[in-house]
């Protein structure tokens, strides 16, 4: 059975932070079309701060996710601070003490993050939010493992589903958050949160997949 | 556009520092530098009154900190909700042992962060009540009033909530007074030009020359309709109509009126608008008790104005007359 190692995989969070910082301008540009254009700025600030604290520490994945979640929750406000903050701290809590993470533990972690988000936000799938990336990605992962695919294959399926979910937001009317005030005028553009969520899930899952033993 | 800033990423920090230096007779900074507190707060035996929101709306929110107004304010990034931690710290700073009321706008981030802060405060044994402002008429139809965002009507909500708390009222009484204030408020914004977050560097929405956005939000949320720019008289008439058509007020009702610039509109244009606003409100048989005109709730350098009308009853009149001491005289 394929697993990856909690203790040695904290670097996944560092590369996730790198991707977010790289995409600072892109995420803000998308956000600017239907929001106020600061998504990339705030995300890069939070992920950058967390990376600074983690650099050179070789912290385990659980601890790294906890640091990231705590920074987002306590130092980055807006909507994304609490939403991603809760998601990462829930991820961390679920895998805390799990030495070898297998597909079942990974799924459990994703579900805990998702419930965390749903406990503070009120969005549903189809509302043009990060859930449009997250929910189908988790569902695809679970379906793949249920069908007997390996952990590695299921992670690939997850990434594809996350990106398809992200792209689905182009054709959605925003139902929640600042963009919802636009009604039909929010059609035709990606949701910034769905886009950053796809980056996060891809980095996490690719990072895990390339470290499977 | 040219700006007086140092580092675009430190705009909020620098703003708060300069603000506290200017007004140290009225406010102080909490240990958390994202929380501004009335100098003598907390007041033992008084319900604490807290708000918070994104920066860039100065003098809102920090400018309304002070005696008989807000006890503590959580400060967010530009146009971005304060953290749950800052709301929580503001609640603690305001807590005089009689509970704390958080009076805030209806934005996704604020809703989440206040919810989390309320849970954290409960662990400290602080009872928290909340009122969510939803005075912006164009942000959702009246049947979905709970979806409407809070705009300049929040100032009346703070004024009434703060004044009620100053009478020694209970948490529930303060909450109810603030709720009544915002229930009695209706607002509309009209935008003529966009604004730019310094760290983003370009306007976050467009208003074509010769046009205006009717129903614009405080962060440039587009309005309900884009129209050809009209005369001040026509714009003011539309603003009054939108606000009052949403609010079925019996003839003879007394009202308070607030006309606020959005940041880059000169004061004289607000007076030009008010010339018609006053006539139109009076023509509907309503009686204006008091009018405030100025930059009370801005949106960086957005060009435009908002109109807020609050219907008054005897309780609200009494509370509106309570003297306040904050950096903005109300």
């Amino acid at each position: 059975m394929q697993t990856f190692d909690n203790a040695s995989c904290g670097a996944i969070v560092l590369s996730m932070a790198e991707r977010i910082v790289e995409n600072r301008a892109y995420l803000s540009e998308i956000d600017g079309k239907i929001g106020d254009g600061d998504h990339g700025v705030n995300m890069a600030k939070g992920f950058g701060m967390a990376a600074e604290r983690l650099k050179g520490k070789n912290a385990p994945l659980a601890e790294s996710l906890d640091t990231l979640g705590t920074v987002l929750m306590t130092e980055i406000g807006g909507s994304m601070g609490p939403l991603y903050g809760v998601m990462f701290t829930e991820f961390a809590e679920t895998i805390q003490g799990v030495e070898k993470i297998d597909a079942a533990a990974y799924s459990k972690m994703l579900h805990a993050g998702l419930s965390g988000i749903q406990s503070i936000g009120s969005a549903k799938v189809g509302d043009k939010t990060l859930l449009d990336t997250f929910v189908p990605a988790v569902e695809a992962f679970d379906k793949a493992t249920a069908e007997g695919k390996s952990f590695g294959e299921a992670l690939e399926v997850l990434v594809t589903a996350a990106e398809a979910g992200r792209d689905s937001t182009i054709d959605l009317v925003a139902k929640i958050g600042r963009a919802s005030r636009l009604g039909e005028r929010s059609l035709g553009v990606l949701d910034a949160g769905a886009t950053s969520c796809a980056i996060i899930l891809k980095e996490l899952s690719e990072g895990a997949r390339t470290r499977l033993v | 556009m040219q700006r007086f800033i140092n580092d675009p990423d430190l705009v909020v920090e620098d703003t708060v520092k300069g603000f506290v230096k200017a007004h140290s007779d009225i406010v102080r900074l909490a240990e958390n530098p994202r929380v501004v507190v009335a100098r003598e707060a907390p007041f033992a035996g008084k319900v604490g009154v807290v708000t918070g929101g994104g920066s860039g709306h100065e003098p809102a929110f920090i400018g309304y900190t002070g005696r008989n107004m807000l006890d503590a304010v959580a400060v967010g990034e530009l146009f971005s909700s304060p953290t749950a931690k800052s709301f929580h710290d503001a609640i603690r700073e305001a807590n005089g042992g009689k509970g704390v009321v958080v009076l805030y706008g209806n934005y996704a981030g604020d809703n989440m962060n206040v919810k989390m802060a309320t849970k954290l405060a409960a662990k400290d044994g602080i009872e928290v009540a909340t009122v969510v402002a939803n005075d912006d008429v164009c942000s959702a139809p009246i049947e979905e009033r709970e979806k409407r965002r809070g705009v300049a009507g929040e100032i009346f909500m703070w004024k009434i909530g703060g004044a009620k708390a100053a009478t020694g009222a209970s948490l529930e009484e303060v909450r109810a007074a603030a709720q009544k204030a915002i229930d009695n408020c209706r607002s509309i914004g009209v935008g003529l030009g966009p604004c730019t977050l310094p760290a983003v560097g370009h306007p976050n929405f467009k208003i074509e020359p010769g046009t205006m956005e009717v129903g614009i939000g405080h962060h440039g949320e587009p309005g309900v309709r884009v129209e050809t720019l009209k005369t001040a008289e026509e714009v003011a008439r539309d603003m009054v109509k939108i606000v009052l058509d949403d609010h079925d007020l019996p003839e003879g009702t007394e009202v308070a009126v607030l006309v606020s610039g959005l940041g880059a509109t000169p004061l004289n244009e607000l007076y030009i608008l008010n010339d018609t606003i006053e006539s139109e409100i009076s023509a509907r048989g309503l009686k204006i008790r008091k009018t405030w005109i100025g930059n009370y709730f801005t949106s960086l350098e957005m060009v435009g104005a908002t109109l807020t009308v609050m219907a008054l009853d005897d309780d609200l009149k009494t509370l509106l007359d309570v003297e306040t001491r904050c950096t903005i005289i109300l």
Side-chain angles (χ1 to χ4, degrees):
Chain A
M1 191 176 56
Q2 292 179 310
T3 64
F4 69 99
D5 187 30
N6 193 341
S8 65
C9 287
I12 294 175
V13 174
L14 286 176
S15 49
M16 190 195 292
E18 256 175 56
R19 288 296 92 69
I20 292 292
V21 173
E22 273 170 21
N23 281 285
R24 184 182 192 266
Y26 175 62
L27 290 173
S28 283
E29 185 198 319
I30 300 174
D31 186 34
K33 290 180 181 162
I34 53 171
D36 57 22
D38 63 354
H39 185 60
V41 176
N42 290 334
M43 289 289 283
K45 194 169 177 180
F47 280 72
M49 273 160 74
E52 280 305 310
R53 285 176 209 185
L54 289 168
K55 246 170 223 164
K57 277 200 176 158
N58 277 328
L61 181 61
E63 194 188 318
S64 304
L65 289 169
D66 185 60
T67 300
L68 175 59
T70 306
V71 167
L72 293 174
M73 203 152 23
T74 57
E75 305 191 45
I76 304 297
S79 303
M80 288 302 147
L83 287 170
Y84 281 137
V86 163
M87 182 183 86
F88 285 118
T89 47
E90 289 290 334
F91 280 180
E93 227 167 88
T94 318
I95 59 164
Q96 183 69 45
V98 180
E99 204 178 311
K100 304 280 177 203
I101 299 165
D102 61 8
Y106 198 78
S107 168
K108 200 174 154 204
M109 175 189 88
L110 295 173
H111 281 282
L114 186 56
S115 322
I117 288 174
Q118 287 167 333
S119 74
I120 59 162
S122 50
K124 298 180 296 294
V125 171
D127 287 353
K128 198 171 182 116
T129 71
L130 65 90
L131 289 183
D132 293 306
T133 298
F134 201 167
V135 171
V138 176
E139 279 172 1
F141 180 81
D142 286 346
K143 183 162 174 279
T145 51
E147 284 167 356
K149 293 212 165 78
S150 71
F151 190 6
E153 288 164 336
L155 287 167
E156 286 182 293
V157 170
L158 184 158
V159 173
T160 309
E163 292 180 339
R166 171 198 66 200
D167 294 341
S168 77
T169 62
I170 293 181
D171 299 321
L172 293 173
V173 174
K175 297 276 169 53
I176 200 162
R178 203 158 287 165
S180 67
R181 316 293 191 184
L182 284 165
E184 299 284 322
R185 287 157 82 180
S186 65
L187 275 171
V189 271
L190 284 169
D191 176 65
T195 307
S196 61
C197 188
I199 296 174
I200 289 165
L201 291 178
K202 183 179 181 183
E203 278 308 307
L204 189 62
S205 300
E206 290 283 303
R209 194 175 61 82
T210 54
R211 289 169 173 84
L212 289 177
V213 287
Chain B
M1 100 166 236
Q2 305 188 88
R3 291 178 186 280
F4 292 119
I5 59 168
N6 301 311
D7 179 338
D9 288 333
L10 295 177
V11 167
V12 175
E13 277 76 5
D14 293 351
T15 303
V16 173
K17 279 195 284 182
F19 173 80
V20 172
K21 280 180 184 171
H23 302 297
S24 60
D25 55 332
I26 298 173
V27 301
R28 63 182 170 84
L29 205 54
E31 197 180 315
N32 177 344
R34 289 303 183 91
V35 177
V36 171
V37 189
R39 203 167 66 98
E40 302 96 353
F43 299 93
K46 184 184 91 71
V47 170
V49 184
V50 164
T51 192
S55 296
H57 302 297
E58 288 71 19
F61 298 76
I62 50 177
Y64 297 92
T65 315
R67 192 160 53 82
N68 296 350
M69 275 291 272
L70 302 168
D71 293 303
V73 174
V75 180
E77 281 300 318
L78 290 172
F79 291 0
S80 184
S81 172
T83 62
K85 182 178 189 299
S86 294
F87 272 115
H88 178 211
D89 288 342
I91 290 168
R92 286 203 285 204
E93 292 284 347
N95 177 36
K98 209 172 172 177
V100 174
V101 67
V102 184
L103 312 175
Y104 67 103
N106 198 8
Y107 297 90
D110 294 326
N111 284 327
M112 280 187 267
N113 288 305
V114 169
K115 193 170 168 185
M116 287 164 72
T118 302
K119 281 185 193 164
L120 295 169
K123 286 185 189 165
D124 303 332
I126 305 173
E127 200 187 340
V128 176
T130 58
V131 180
V132 183
N134 47 15
D135 52 305
D136 191 342
V137 171
C138 291
S139 53
I142 187 80
E143 309 79 60
E144 295 177 292
R145 183 141 200 243
E146 75 287 350
K147 287 190 181 168
R148 288 183 176 176
R149 59 198 169 221
V151 284
E154 290 184 53
I155 297 168
F156 285 141
M157 171 176 73
W158 303 328
K159 167 84 189 178
I160 298 300
K164 187 71 182 178
T167 65
S170 69
L171 180 59
E172 173 50 27
E173 288 166 338
V174 176
R175 190 206 60 76
Q179 183 70 57
K180 191 207 266 183
I182 204 66
D183 286 348
N184 284 13
C185 279
R186 297 291 188 280
S187 298
I188 164 100
V190 174
L192 308 185
C195 57
T196 297
L197 293 169
V200 174
H202 53 81
N204 55 10
F205 60 102
K206 271 188 197 146
I207 294 178
E208 298 299 337
T211 67
M212 61 180 184
E213 288 261 4
V214 178
I216 199 160
H218 268 174
H219 312 90
E221 297 93 334
V224 283
R225 55 179 197 252
V226 177
E227 281 182 18
T228 306
L229 180 60
K230 302 192 282 199
T231 63
E233 191 181 325
E234 290 167 304
V235 174
R237 206 175 286 147
D238 285 353
M239 290 171 93
V240 171
K241 181 171 165 40
I242 289 169
V243 160
L244 293 182
D245 281 358
D246 193 77
H247 205 179
D248 194 15
L249 297 177
E251 215 168 292
T253 304
E254 282 193 61
V255 296
V257 174
L258 176 75
V259 181
S260 178
L262 285 172
T265 288
L267 202 48
N268 75 304
E269 293 179 20
L270 302 181
Y271 289 123
I272 293 172
L273 286 173
N274 190 58
D275 183 32
T276 305
I277 288 171
E278 198 277 342
S279 314
E280 287 292 306
I281 291 177
S282 301
R284 287 187 177 230
L286 305 177
K287 205 175 140 203
I288 299 173
R289 184 178 177 87
K290 194 164 165 48
T291 300
W292 285 271
I293 298 193
N295 288 313
Y296 285 100
F297 205 133
T298 64
S299 299
L300 292 170
E301 77 283 14
M302 207 191 289
V303 185
T306 61
L307 166 67
T308 301
V309 175
M310 175 167 68
L312 301 169
D313 62 10
D314 288 342
D315 289 346
L316 292 175
K317 277 185 241 175
T318 308
L319 293 168
L320 199 64
D321 288 344
V322 171
E323 198 182 300
T324 51
R325 178 166 158 76
C326 56
T327 67
I328 304 304
I329 306 303
L330 267 181

